[in-house]
């Protein structure tokens, strides 16, 4: 099943965490909101997860993000496909 916000909440307290690879785990909008609680997140690989418009809005709020892999998510340069 999808990785829930509750499952990811265990890492939300890791304020020094700089990178995550969460490919093909069926992320939800709520789980992406939890990732926003990581103030130093700079590297995020979330390929092969179907993403919504809200998910992209959440990701855009990650202030320190330097690398983002959106391969096979349905996201294009124009937005959500």
């Amino acid at each position: 099943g999808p990785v829930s916000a509750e499952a990811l909440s265990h890492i939300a307290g890791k304020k020094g965490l700089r990178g995550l690879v969460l490919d093909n785990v069926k992320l939800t909008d709520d789980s992406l909101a939890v990732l926003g609680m990581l103030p130093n997140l700079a590297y995020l690989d979330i390929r092969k997860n179907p993403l919504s418009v809200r998910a992209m809005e959440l990701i855009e709020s990650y202030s320190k993000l330097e690398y983002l892999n959106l391969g096979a998510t349905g996201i294009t340069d124009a937005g959500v496909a």
Side-chain angles (χ1 to χ4, degrees):
V3 172
S4 68
E6 181 181 350
L8 287 178
S9 68
H10 297 288
I11 63 167
K14 309 293 184 200
K15 302 299 182 193
L17 189 67
R18 293 191 35 83
L20 277 174
V21 176
L22 295 167
D23 62 326
N24 201 22
V25 294
K26 299 179 183 148
L27 289 173
T28 65
D29 290 350
D30 290 339
S31 48
L32 286 167
V34 170
L35 294 183
M37 298 166 67
L38 297 167
N40 294 305
L41 187 63
Y43 179 100
L44 184 59
D45 182 338
I46 53 174
R47 64 187 160 194
K48 298 181 184 173
N49 286 288
L51 298 179
S52 68
V53 171
R54 179 167 181 257
M56 287 309 304
E57 291 169 354
L58 291 166
I59 292 166
E60 288 173 359
S61 73
Y62 300 173
S63 62
K64 299 246 176 140
L65 200 60
E66 297 171 10
Y67 174 87
L68 177 62
N69 186 340
L70 294 172
T73 59
I75 303 298
T76 67
D77 289 341
V80 178

